[in-house]
Amino acid sequence: MACKRTTTSRAAAHEAARLHAAGDAIGWVNCLHAAAALSPRSATHAAELGRGYEAVGQLETAVTHFTRAAQLRPAWHRAYFQLGHAYGRLQRLEPARQNFQLALRIAPADTETHRLLAVTHSMSGQPSRAAEQLEAALALAPDAVEVRFELGVAQQQTGALHEATRTYNLLLARRPTHMQAHANRGTTLRDLGRHSEAADAYATSLRLAPAFAAVYNNLALTLSNDLRRPAEALSLLAAGAALAPSWSDWGVNLGFALQRLRRHEEAAAAFARGARAATSNPNPNPNRDRNPSPSPSPSPSPSPNPNP
């Protein structure tokens, strides 16, 4: 809807906040436009307008307004932070990295900026550099749970599995309900050959988040392939397939579990279903789940181990 006519930027911003709270995204952005037009030298209104466009998915336009905010107030770290965030969502990692670094020059103790800069390093294939950035952030804020989570992910990506396990243990001591930390800890334990502990970690993650499809896959593989308990894997594979039916891995993994149970005709049918799904789906594997935490791009969880 159109923004109610106002004569001051303060009134327009107030109306924008009201519409945002009411869930009217278009009206919110229209009122943010009005506020920015009434106070064209306001970095705050420019940044709020960028935030509105980012919220409705118009990221290039958001970048334009965040850039304007940074030009109007060059020493405002939040403008560079928001620019980095928008560039990250556009998968433009180099300008994202540059803007997070500018934000840190102004506010070097901002742990969220450290975290998101580390995410850009990780997404650029530099997990060791990401881990260093996250260690620096934890030195500033040892209780920053999401920073510690990203450190665990970076350590997994570098193959430092013992260190990653310790990182997740410390995180879970602070927040035992962090479902993805349990899931990632399960993957590190499985890669370390600690299969019973891995199964327990995956099961805990599913109790906390029963719609986490990839964890059904991981727990089923651990039970069927590693612990030789294929009968327990069947219901997990069925539950995961119901959540993500396009993944061809369900048919393949079900086929292996049925083979181990000597149910060979059913196994052959499952393998055939998996092959048909793989033909129609160019990216069939549930190999990365995502952190809903706000970041340039949601943070990846390491892949499940492959079938034998």
Side-chain angles (χ1 to χ4, degrees):
M1 61 173 285
C3 183
K4 186 166 63 178
R5 190 177 184 85
T6 57
T7 58
T8 67
S9 60
R10 182 187 294 272
H14 180 79
E15 180 66 7
R18 186 188 69 79
L19 292 170
H20 186 212
D24 182 353
I26 301 303
W28 174 44
V29 172
N30 286 337
C31 283
L32 292 174
H33 259 295
L38 288 163
S39 291
R41 301 296 300 170
S42 169
T44 300
H45 289 320
E48 279 298 299
L49 185 53
R51 194 167 71 90
Y53 275 111
E54 185 174 9
V56 298
Q58 295 187 38
L59 299 175
E60 294 286 0
T61 306
V63 163
T64 298
H65 292 290
F66 290 141
T67 300
R68 172 71 173 159
Q71 291 168 341
L72 289 168
R73 197 189 302 177
W76 188 25
H77 91 279
R78 194 70 191 172
Y80 300 106
F81 174 90
Q82 290 173 314
L83 256 176
H85 192 279
Y87 275 126
R89 289 188 62 191
L90 286 164
Q91 303 295 308
R92 292 165 63 181
L93 300 181
E94 184 56 25
R97 183 187 63 78
Q98 291 171 351
N99 279 282
F100 287 136
Q101 288 175 330
L102 287 170
L104 284 175
R105 287 178 194 170
I106 300 166
D110 189 275
T111 56
E112 184 64 2
T113 307
H114 279 285
R115 185 182 77 84
L116 297 189
L117 177 57
V119 170
T120 65
H121 292 325
S122 185
M123 293 170 65
S124 301
Q126 302 177 73
S128 296
R129 192 174 179 187
E132 291 174 6
Q133 192 77 46
L134 293 160
E135 294 278 12
L138 285 172
L140 296 167
D143 294 327
V145 168
E146 292 307 322
V147 173
R148 197 170 296 276
F149 174 78
E150 296 292 352
L151 176 59
V153 172
Q155 289 167 331
Q156 281 182 276
Q157 291 172 335
T158 64
L161 300 180
H162 292 287
E163 290 83 352
T165 301
R166 283 194 292 271
T167 296
Y168 291 131
N169 288 344
L170 286 169
L171 185 160
L172 291 167
R174 288 174 167 83
R175 188 182 294 175
T177 58
H178 197 299
M179 57 90 177
Q180 195 157 0
H182 283 289
N184 284 18
R185 179 173 176 270
T187 298
T188 63
L189 291 168
R190 188 175 184 220
D191 289 343
L192 288 167
R194 294 161 59 179
H195 299 132
S196 293
E197 293 172 86
D200 290 342
Y202 288 139
T204 300
S205 180
L206 286 177
R207 283 195 294 274
L208 293 167
F212 201 4
V215 182
Y216 285 97
N217 180 71
N218 290 6
L219 179 53
L221 290 178
T222 304
L223 292 171
S224 181
N225 298 358
D226 304 322
L227 297 174
R228 294 300 189 260
R229 289 153 53 185
E232 297 173 54
L234 299 183
S235 61
L236 293 164
L237 292 167
L243 291 167
S246 66
W247 290 348
S248 63
D249 279 17
W250 302 123
V252 175
N253 294 345
L254 179 60
F256 280 116
L258 290 166
Q259 264 190 348
R260 291 193 173 93
L261 292 167
R262 301 183 185 282
R263 292 161 58 175
H264 298 297
E265 289 186 7
E266 294 171 86
F271 286 134
R273 287 196 300 274
R276 288 194 297 272
T279 300
S280 61
N281 184 357
N283 185 24
N285 300 314
N287 63 348
R288 287 189 184 273
D289 251 14
R290 301 293 175 178
N291 181 22
S293 63
S295 62
S297 179
S299 310
S301 165
S303 307
N305 292 343
N307 288 311

